[in-house]
Amino acid sequence: SRALKSFTSVSLLGFTAFTSIPDFALPLVRSGNMKAFAKAWGKYMTDPSYRQSAKNIGVGIENLMHERMVHMAGDGNQKFANAFFNATLLTPWTNTMREAASLVGFESFKAEIDRAMRMKRMGKTGTRSYQTAVRYLERYGLTGENAAHDFLSTGAHRLDSLPKNEAIEMQVQMAMLCFTNEAIFTPNPNDV
């Protein structure tokens, strides 16, 4: 059984590296904002502090926790599969894609907030564009009834200059994590 599982890991799951290539474009598909996508990737590639900000919110913690749990309590074939994913660079690829996706989400949140606020100032709250922006932000908990801090309210904080308020910081982090989880394909146990 172990030998068969190990063979399956290497022969079939090795193709996961190829199926993970679209992970690059999934944040663009999820956000629908090419400008935010390009801005996030441009800053990600050139600014180490920008990359560190994604690490600070913990977007890669799931992979790290899984790896540590496998090393602590996994059986032989799980450890073998984990080593295989590290050797084929799938694990670092996934971590990089998760970090970049969170930053694309952040940039898209800023763009949608700016668009909604601009339309609100112009009195165009009944337009389709405004309503789309509001729905997008509500989906991630940045506005609406259930939002701890409504980023579309008058005098709201800007995403790029948040105060040292743990609740607001956590709200933005949770929105980024939610976006990341939706934008990156993660197979469930049935898919595996």
Side-chain angles (χ1 to χ4, degrees):
S1 167
R2 284 185 183 170
L4 187 58
K5 286 180 182 177
S6 296
F7 175 75
T8 302
S9 293
V10 173
S11 62
L12 297 177
L13 295 181
F15 290 106
T16 307
F18 295 116
T19 62
S20 294
I21 290 172
D23 283 354
F24 178 78
L26 289 175
L28 172 61
V29 171
R30 172 56 66 191
S31 70
N33 189 331
M34 183 61 169
K35 189 174 181 180
F37 178 79
K39 186 176 183 180
W41 269 106
K43 286 174 126 180
Y44 183 83
M45 300 302 273
T46 58
D47 188 356
S49 62
Y50 197 67
R51 282 192 299 273
Q52 187 60 42
S53 68
K55 288 181 173 106
N56 289 346
I57 67 163
V59 294
I61 198 73
E62 290 176 13
N63 281 350
L64 181 63
M65 289 298 292
H66 175 72
E67 185 176 333
R68 297 297 187 254
M69 294 296 283
V70 165
H71 284 297
M72 283 178 18
D75 61 9
N77 68 316
Q78 286 177 319
K79 290 180 183 179
F80 181 74
N82 203 28
F84 181 74
F85 290 148
N86 285 330
T88 60
L89 302 178
L90 184 61
T91 300
W93 170 266
T94 301
N95 289 339
T96 301
M97 292 302 108
R98 287 186 64 80
E99 290 170 10
S102 70
L103 297 172
V104 170
F106 182 73
E107 293 296 336
S108 71
F109 298 153
K110 288 193 321 188
E112 293 301 321
I113 289 170
D114 288 346
R115 179 167 62 142
M117 293 300 282
R118 186 177 61 251
M119 302 205 82
K120 190 176 183 180
R121 281 192 301 272
M122 293 169 33
K124 297 182 178 181
T125 57
T127 63
R128 187 176 191 176
S129 181
Y130 176 81
Q131 292 169 354
T132 300
V134 169
R135 272 194 311 271
Y136 182 77
L137 295 169
E138 281 178 343
R139 176 178 184 85
Y140 297 107
L142 297 174
T143 190
E145 295 174 11
N146 298 327
H149 176 76
D150 188 350
F151 285 91
L152 294 184
S153 65
T154 305
H157 300 289
R158 293 184 48 86
L159 280 182
D160 50 3
S161 61
L162 291 175
K164 291 294 180 193
N165 182 323
E166 189 176 337
I168 295 174
E169 289 174 354
M170 185 63 79
Q171 179 184 5
V172 174
Q173 288 175 356
M174 293 308 293
M176 291 171 70
L177 286 169
C178 182
F179 179 89
T180 301
N181 289 335
E182 291 178 358
I184 298 298
F185 173 73
T186 306
N188 64 34
N190 292 332
D191 295 330
V192 171

